[in-house]
Amino acid sequence: MNFLSTGQFELHDLNRLLESAAKYKNGHAARPLEGKSVALVFFNPSLRTRASMQVGIYELGGNAVILEPGSTSWTLEYREGAVMDGNKTEHLKEFVRVLERYVSAIGVRTFAELKNWEAERTDPILNVFSRYASVPVINLESAMHHPCQAMADMMTIHEKLGDQKKKVLLTWAWHPKPLPMAVPNSFALAAAQFGHDLRIAHPRGYELDEELIREAKHFAAANGGTVEITHDLEQAYEGVEVVYAKSWGGKDFYGNSDGDIAHRLQLREQWIVDQRKMNLTNSAIFMHCLPVRRNVIVTDEVIDSPQSMVIDEAENRLHIQKAILTELLK
Ligand code: CP
């Protein structure tokens, strides 16, 4: 079994992960990875994912093997039938099948390159890992999904506000350059699966993937929640109990980063999360996956306030990933 998106699991499976994560957070000291190694393949930089996975694997009794293609391991090709006469030294077909002779699971981080939306929305690199691996593959953030982050987010909401459904705002925020959509995609999907009333606010031109929104609406309807999309910033904050901020790039601008940067410049001041907007909420908690640019995405006043849960949210990555590893490798 892989862990690629929360969408592949039923709500009761996700709830079981939250229960297991809470036990780990409360001191449960099981070592289900005793004698096992887990590979963590990072095509992109990381603080939280890398440190929390490495520490989590160690605390579960296992050993983490960290590989950085193009840096501490060979550059990798993933395209089927590629003539490898360029700068790629090894094909993922060999990389994955060799690696799984050594390890019991493979975690992969591979961001969107923001070049070709139609290709990247299919998660091509992650798919090659899952196609050739016979051990579990864990998505540590792909072009489309960041399920470990989304589960830590759901754990944080549950822990801070209880297990009843909440009014949750996912708001776009300005950032100097376009960023991938994996975090907002996975947050939207998971919030819908947990039956929250989800409001997504973004400027026109920054729509999330249509199929993903359809999937989120389907999950929300099945679990007693709703999904609403708004471009009205004032209305967006009204009455919500959670404000989740994230910047992302417009899919119509994939391959045209300069166009996105020029377009978003006019949005710079409007979309920051500040205290005035937080005052429109129902005493909402503030969440962000981190890293965050202070006074660009969110003001110091909000992120340093008692309503800010960003550090607990980051801590919960450790506990939920222990629960995921335990489930996959039991
Ligand atoms: N939120 C998150 O995934 O952080 P890193 O990019 O530092 O791993």
Side-chain angles (χ1 to χ4, degrees), residues 42 45-52 109 111 140-141 146 149 183 244 288-291 314 317:
F42 282 91
S46 166
L47 165 63
R48 281 142 289 271
T49 306
R50 179 172 170 154
S52 59
R109 163 160 287 199
F111 287 170
L140 302 179
E141 188 171 347
H146 196 353
Q149 179 66 54
V183 168
Y244 194 100
H288 188 282
C289 63
L290 304 182
R317 294 289 304 277

Side-chain angles (χ1 to χ4, degrees), residues 161 166-171 197-200 228 234-244 277-285 307:
L161 301 176
K166 299 293 165 218
K167 288 185 170 44
V168 174
L169 169 64
L170 166 62
T171 177
D197 287 328
L198 173 67
R199 196 175 287 161
I200 305 173
E228 175 196 350
E234 300 290 316
Q235 183 255 334
Y237 280 75
E238 266 170 28
V240 297
E241 296 156 284
V242 176
V243 172
Y244 194 100
K277 295 190 188 83
M278 291 298 286
N279 290 343
L280 300 171
T281 71
N282 181 10
S283 305
I285 58 171
Q307 294 304 106

Side-chain angles (χ1 to χ4, degrees), residues 179-204:
L179 297 177
M181 294 184 203
V183 168
N185 283 348
S186 284
F187 182 82
L189 208 55
Q193 285 181 276
F194 278 88
H196 293 302
D197 287 328
L198 173 67
R199 196 175 287 161
I200 305 173
H202 60 75
R204 291 180 203 283

